[in-house]
Amino acid sequence: MPSDSKRAPFSSPSFAAPTLLRECGGAREFSSYALYAAVLIVPFALKHVFGFSALTYVIVTALLALPVGALCLVAHSWIVRTPTDQIGALPNQPIESYMTILDKELKAMYHGCTKMPMEMFYERYFDGDIDLTGDALEIFEKRYDWAFFPITYNVAKFFVFQWIPELLVHSKKQDETQVRDHYDRGDDFYAAFLGDRMVYTSGLVGDESKRETLEELQDNKLRDVCERVQMRKGDRHLDLGCGWGTLVSYAAKNYGTQSIGVTLGRNQTAFGNDRAKAWGVADSAQLLCMDYRDTPRRPLYNRITCLEMAEHVGVRKFQEFLLQVRDMLEDDGLFYLQIAGLRGAWQYEDFSWGLFMAKYVFPGADASCPLNWVVAQLEATGFEVRSSETIGVHYSATLDRWYENWMQNKDKIVKKYGKRWFRVWEIFLAWSIIVARQGSSTCYQILAHKNRNAFDRTALITKPLGFGMPSGSVQA
């Protein structure tokens, strides 16, 4: 039966509670009609000036549609009004309450209650021109009091000259370079926030009445994944983009699988194979250092898992990737896909955070899309989606533990990797705790299988919520 008591919002100790809840302008305020009008009117004005023919007008309209649309979006990001349906009022504290601006020219531009573009803040913070007056997470909780989220020149430049070319290419060489530049930086760098498990994907909160440790969150997730795909002794299991291989060794040790992990990271491969030996499963758990496209396809696999690697496959290669997965999977096999994504009803902060992540944290991860896009790709390539869970809030809890670890290891990181690298990850983790909690970015757990008539769908039936509890009367 439902509880009579109403749960207070954000009262669980598992999560970092917000101190200022604000909505940012975005899709709701952006007029599609104004966009269509601009796309038609600009070429019409050019036609009037240069005397185009009707055919030339159509061609020019087609050629200018994308750049005109982009300029409309950029302009709107600077002038959009704050939504009126806000829950709380801004503190209206001067920017000096949150940061000390060391650069004289920058300080002359931003002082008092003048708000700074977020992109300018983090670039100048990384360069050492700004110091924070307190904890980064606490300051970012109140970011709407000192920052706004326009599409700046530097953001647009990065999008056009780096993000789009990377999206279009996604060659083996490009992916290898990005992965190795990122993940071969040093295991100690990642251990400073990932902890003993060395799992760089969202954990799961099991008991929201207490603050579970990072290790508990990750163990909850590892067990959840294995149970979702119904791992059994002797199953051939493939983990694509396996990272440091913790799931590979966990499945082999606890479920008796024959598990193979694939990663491009050299350090990750060595670490994972050493862990398999330490856990006594070297004969049944192995990491291979290779591109996912080179994964051994035969014999077929009973279970395939892919946790937060598919984003790096890229939009252009995504269906090709899923067709490869389908080709490697037994007809009665199960495919588990955990993938980060963005909400469809976007706000400008979502763009700002997403492009920051693409530049500094996860280059090449352009297939972070809304859920409907991911499901459509799966169905188009012959999969049936059995279940989907949105776990963004669990990611927020995981990031909160990562941030806590990172701040505790500040001196070690600054000493070996420098202040700039420390600050990049400080902002990434602090901002992402909030972004995941508020739904700007999220994460999906998707269980799928081949969409074949002969597939035994009864094997995946789960009990309805509340099954076995008194149902109450359904009669008048």
Side-chain angles (χ1 to χ4, degrees):
M1 297 294 289
S3 173
D4 293 332
S5 60
K6 184 178 180 180
R7 179 182 179 277
F10 304 107
S11 59
S12 169
S14 290
F15 307 95
T19 56
L20 178 64
L21 294 168
R22 299 291 291 181
E23 302 294 327
C24 184
R28 290 191 304 167
E29 293 74 29
F30 189 77
S31 171
S32 297
Y33 296 110
L35 173 63
Y36 300 148
V39 168
L40 295 174
I41 289 173
V42 170
F44 185 81
L46 294 174
K47 177 180 182 298
H48 178 75
V49 172
F50 296 105
F52 293 159
S53 66
L55 177 60
T56 303
Y57 169 74
V58 171
I59 295 172
V60 170
T61 300
L63 292 174
L64 293 182
L66 187 59
V68 169
L71 288 173
C72 287
L73 191 66
V74 170
H76 187 255
S77 74
W78 284 89
I79 65 174
V80 62
R81 293 182 178 180
T82 302
T84 57
D85 55 340
Q86 304 290 355
I87 293 177
L90 292 173
N92 289 320
Q93 295 294 312
I95 197 169
E96 290 84 1
S97 300
Y98 303 104
M99 63 191 72
T100 301
I101 300 177
L102 306 175
D103 181 85
K104 292 182 179 179
E105 293 183 4
L106 189 64
K107 188 174 183 178
M109 295 171 60
Y110 298 100
H111 53 84
C113 291
T114 306
K115 294 184 179 181
M116 182 183 296
M118 179 57 82
E119 181 268 338
M120 179 176 289
F121 160 75
Y122 63 69
E123 293 290 357
R124 301 301 289 268
Y125 180 60
F126 299 159
D127 289 342
D129 295 331
I130 295 173
D131 286 338
L132 297 179
T133 60
D135 178 73
L137 177 58
E138 293 179 3
I139 290 171
F140 260 72
E141 290 284 7
K142 297 179 180 178
R143 65 206 175 283
Y144 282 91
D145 203 34
W146 54 266
F148 69 120
F149 305 91
I151 301 174
T152 63
Y153 170 77
N154 287 333
V155 169
K157 180 181 177 182
F158 169 78
F159 181 79
V160 172
F161 294 105
Q162 184 169 335
W163 192 87
I164 290 179
E166 288 177 352
L167 179 149
L168 295 174
V169 177
H170 268 292
S171 64
K172 287 185 178 181
K173 183 62 178 177
Q174 173 185 300
D175 292 351
E176 177 184 308
T177 300
Q178 289 177 333
V179 167
R180 289 181 176 165
D181 283 350
H182 187 72
Y183 292 108
D184 284 345
R185 184 173 303 137
D187 288 343
D188 59 337
F189 182 92
Y190 291 94
F193 64 98
L194 298 180
D196 177 69
R197 297 296 184 273
M198 291 294 283
V199 177
Y200 203 1
T201 57
S202 176
L204 294 175
V205 173
D207 184 355
E208 64 170 317
S209 68
K210 67 177 185 178
R211 183 177 174 82
E212 292 171 295
T213 66
L214 174 60
E215 288 69 32
E216 288 175 318
L217 296 184
Q218 294 297 4
D219 289 350
N220 292 342
K221 187 270 301 296
L222 294 168
R223 182 170 55 252
D224 182 87
V225 172
C226 293
E227 290 295 324
R228 280 180 188 270
V229 297
Q230 301 179 357
M231 285 189 180
R232 299 292 183 265
K233 185 175 182 179
D235 280 348
R236 279 181 51 78
H237 164 226
L238 171 65
D239 190 27
L240 292 165
C242 65
W244 287 268
T246 305
L247 175 59
V248 173
S249 292
Y250 180 92
K253 181 177 178 63
N254 294 281
Y255 289 83
T257 58
Q258 295 292 320
S259 292
I260 294 175
V262 171
T263 176
L264 273 169
R266 296 190 184 97
N267 290 356
Q268 292 178 330
T269 303
F271 182 98
N273 284 326
D274 287 343
R275 169 161 282 181
K277 293 177 184 177
W279 287 11
V281 290
D283 292 339
S284 54
Q286 180 186 14
L287 269 64
L288 303 177
C289 187
M290 61 175 57
D291 190 280
Y292 72 89
R293 284 160 283 205
D294 298 325
T295 302
R297 300 194 180 201
R298 296 296 184 272
L300 298 176
Y301 300 92
N302 308 103
R303 305 290 183 261
I304 298 179
T305 55
C306 180
L307 281 69
E308 300 177 38
M309 182 282 279
E311 302 91 320
H312 296 270
V313 168
V315 169
R316 194 173 72 85
K317 300 279 189 178
F318 205 78
Q319 284 202 7
E320 182 182 320
F321 164 71
L322 292 177
L323 288 171
Q324 177 185 341
V325 171
R326 194 178 191 279
D327 178 64
M328 296 188 295
L329 187 64
E330 292 277 9
D331 287 347
D332 62 350
L334 294 175
F335 173 42
Y336 174 88
L337 177 65
Q338 184 168 309
I339 184 169
L342 300 172
R343 59 183 168 189
W346 52 268
Q347 299 180 12
Y348 282 109
E349 183 182 7
D350 306 356
F351 288 166
S352 182
W353 176 85
L355 290 172
F356 159 77
M357 294 290 286
K359 182 176 182 179
Y360 284 108
V361 183
F362 294 125
D366 57 79
S368 298
C369 297
L371 178 60
N372 64 329
W373 183 86
V374 180
V375 171
Q377 305 308 305
L378 283 161
E379 292 179 339
T381 50
F383 285 98
E384 178 180 318
V385 173
R386 176 63 185 84
S387 65
S388 171
E389 297 279 349
T390 300
I391 59 169
V393 71
H394 295 266
Y395 221 143
S396 180
T398 307
L399 285 154
D400 184 35
R401 277 51 164 196
W402 290 350
Y403 176 75
E404 187 178 71
N405 286 347
W406 187 250
M407 299 307 292
Q408 290 174 353
N409 287 295
K410 176 180 179 179
D411 292 342
K412 293 179 182 178
I413 294 299
V414 170
K415 183 177 180 180
K416 182 171 181 180
Y417 294 97
K419 182 183 290 186
R420 181 179 178 85
W421 271 120
F422 171 79
R423 288 187 167 191
V424 170
W425 249 249
E426 177 191 24
I427 297 305
F428 149 49
L429 295 170
W431 197 3
S432 297
I433 290 170
I434 301 166
V435 161
R437 186 186 63 214
Q438 71 186 17
S440 298
S441 176
T442 189
C443 192
Y444 310 113
Q445 289 182 314
I446 300 173
L447 182 64
H449 56 78
K450 291 183 180 180
N451 197 346
R452 294 173 53 84
N453 294 350
F455 186 88
D456 181 12
R457 290 163 175 81
T458 65
L460 299 177
I461 291 176
T462 57
K463 292 181 180 179
L465 294 175
F467 181 79
M469 296 174 60
S471 298
S473 175
V474 295
Q475 298 179 350

